Amino acid sequence: MPFLRRKEFRFRVIPLLVPARATRKQDVTDATLSAAPALHSLTGAFTNMAVAVCGFILTFSTILGPTVVSGVLSSPTNVRLSSYNLNLMLTWDPPAQPASGLVYTTQSTSTVSDYKVDCVNISSLACDLSSNPLFEYGRYTGRVRAQSGTETSAWVESNEIALDKDTIISSPNVSLRSYGAEIEVNIKDPVFTISALRNVYHTATYNITYWKDGQREKARTDSNIQQNRVVLDNLDPLTKYCVQVKIITERNPNLSKPSAAVCERTTTEEATPWVAAVGTFCIVAILVALVAVAVVYRKHMSHFLYPKDALPQHLKAYLQAPPNSPMYLSMRDSPPDEIYHQVSIIADATTGGSRENLQQTA
């Protein structure tokens, strides 16, 4: 903390003497001119004292560090607008000496619309503007102001960005599959907040870099690849290769982030993907042929599987003859007598009724 050195000022009163007999104008003028040096010394003393007082006030205000100067709240700093995968994010830094309980309000605009409110009274230092309808080829600007109680700062505008030209494209997702001495590279584009990579960048291509594991300095690159499935051939068998992919667009000068290096080992088998496809086609063709034969010759096959055997004539006559069993005949002519038993129902005296013997014959 700087110390102020107190400066003492001593004033000397110099009387202005006017001769009693100076009745003439010339005498008064001569007396005034004789007192001019004293007046000049007095004025310099007051000037030095004023400078000392101002220096004390400035030093004291620097020590206390007020956030409000002349009733105006300090504004946020380093306001910037950025985009990642076609989103829109406004970020900023707090004032140099932020007050307690400071909150922020943000707005955004485009070349075809006025400012719209996005985040209101937030304490964080970022606001996601992607909740508003965005256009892939639009140009956007944001602004933010601070607020503490009833006091607000001035708006601070951000940079202007063109969404398709300034967005940062993330890395693609890469997977590998080995087929003998070849490796198939499958590329999946990153997911955008709005639209898709191929809808915005119609001529986007891939740069595929691959190398033997541990020999990155000898890497080879295949450029301007438009397919998302590529086969790397002429590789050494039983060797581990690593692959990295980067997206290239014409309108966006920002190169995408390279994908993470993915490694796969080649084998000694010479089988290629078309061999598996041909084998699958042959199996399906055989199954379709078997189904067609079964439909055309279904009757002959049913006769073969379920032959119709002819029964002897005497066996047919025996099975078709009516039953002649004596038991069956006796039951059919005279039904059997029913057998019954005598039942007695007795009512208990505790139920409130008298005991009665009832006999019923069924």
Side-chain angles (χ1 to χ4, degrees):
M1 180 182 298
F3 296 92
L4 297 179
R5 181 178 297 176
R6 185 176 61 183
K7 187 175 182 180
E8 297 181 355
F9 301 93
R10 297 181 181 180
F11 306 97
R12 181 174 60 181
V13 180
I14 301 175
L16 181 62
L17 300 178
V18 180
R21 296 182 180 180
T23 57
R24 294 180 304 176
K25 182 177 180 181
Q26 182 64 34
D27 296 337
V28 176
T29 303
D30 294 340
T32 303
L33 293 175
S34 63
L39 293 175
H40 180 73
S41 177
L42 183 61
T43 303
F46 275 109
T47 301
N48 294 335
M49 184 176 67
V51 171
V53 172
C54 292
F56 174 76
I57 294 174
L58 292 176
T59 304
F60 186 72
S61 63
T62 303
I63 295 172
L64 294 180
T67 57
V68 179
V69 180
S70 301
V72 179
L73 192 65
S74 300
S75 301
T77 59
N78 195 19
V79 181
R80 53 205 179 273
L81 191 63
S82 59
S83 176
Y84 185 81
N85 285 346
L86 290 186
N87 74 343
L88 200 59
M89 183 69 67
L90 182 66
T91 56
W92 60 90
D93 294 336
Q97 296 171 345
S100 59
L102 200 64
V103 294
Y104 304 94
T105 298
T106 66
Q107 294 180 351
S108 62
T109 182
S110 66
T111 54
V112 295
S113 64
D114 297 330
Y115 274 103
K116 298 179 181 179
V117 178
D118 298 304
C119 300
V120 180
N121 296 336
I122 60 173
S123 58
S124 60
L125 300 177
C127 176
D128 189 359
L129 310 182
S130 303
S131 58
N132 295 330
L134 299 178
F135 180 55
E136 298 90 331
Y137 310 106
R139 303 180 69 91
Y140 297 92
T141 305
R143 65 181 183 180
V144 61
R145 72 178 181 185
Q147 181 176 351
S148 179
T150 58
E151 297 178 343
T152 58
S153 70
W155 289 102
V156 181
E157 288 193 352
S158 69
N159 56 304
E160 183 186 58
I161 66 171
L163 204 58
D164 62 321
K165 296 181 180 179
D166 298 324
T167 191
I168 302 298
I169 302 175
S170 63
S171 59
N173 186 20
V174 179
S175 60
L176 305 179
R177 182 177 296 179
S178 176
Y179 295 100
E182 298 177 347
I183 292 180
E184 182 183 85
V185 182
N186 296 290
I187 306 172
K188 186 177 181 181
D189 295 333
V191 179
F192 281 3
T193 302
I194 58 173
S195 190
L197 176 71
R198 294 294 173 179
N199 295 338
V200 181
Y201 307 101
H202 305 286
T203 59
T205 59
Y206 306 106
N207 283 358
I208 302 177
T209 304
Y210 59 99
W211 63 92
K212 292 182 181 180
D213 189 21
Q215 300 181 14
R216 180 60 185 269
E217 66 279 0
K218 298 181 180 180
R220 290 178 287 179
T221 301
D222 292 344
S223 304
N224 300 326
I225 304 299
Q226 295 184 349
Q227 297 80 10
N228 58 1
R229 180 174 296 179
V230 181
V231 176
L232 303 178
D233 53 5
N234 297 326
L235 304 180
D236 296 336
L238 299 176
T239 304
K240 188 176 183 181
Y241 285 87
C242 298
V243 179
Q244 198 171 46
V245 180
K246 184 182 297 184
I247 300 175
I248 305 297
T249 62
E250 293 182 355
R251 292 198 311 273
N252 194 329
N254 301 319
L255 298 178
S256 74
K257 295 183 178 180
S259 65
V262 183
C263 300
E264 181 68 23
R265 183 180 297 276
T266 58
T267 62
T268 57
E269 299 178 359
E270 297 298 333
T272 53
W274 65 267
V275 175
V278 171
T280 304
F281 175 79
C282 293
I283 294 175
V284 173
I286 293 173
L287 293 176
V288 171
L290 292 176
V291 171
V293 170
V295 172
V296 173
Y297 297 98
R298 62 181 183 277
K299 292 184 178 180
H300 299 280
M301 295 178 64
S302 62
H303 293 165
F304 175 77
L305 296 177
Y306 303 99
K308 294 182 178 180
D309 295 333
L311 295 176
Q313 190 64 29
H314 67 280
L315 186 58
K316 289 183 179 181
Y318 174 77
L319 294 176
Q320 294 176 356
N324 54 4
S325 172
M327 182 178 296
Y328 171 78
L329 296 176
S330 61
M331 293 177 62
R332 184 187 63 179
D333 296 338
S334 60
D337 297 336
E338 295 182 355
I339 301 176
Y340 63 92
H341 298 276
Q342 183 176 351
V343 178
S344 299
I345 301 175
I346 302 174
D348 195 353
T350 58
T351 60
S354 60
R355 178 173 297 179
E356 297 179 356
N357 293 335
L358 300 177
Q359 294 181 355
Q360 182 178 0
T361 303

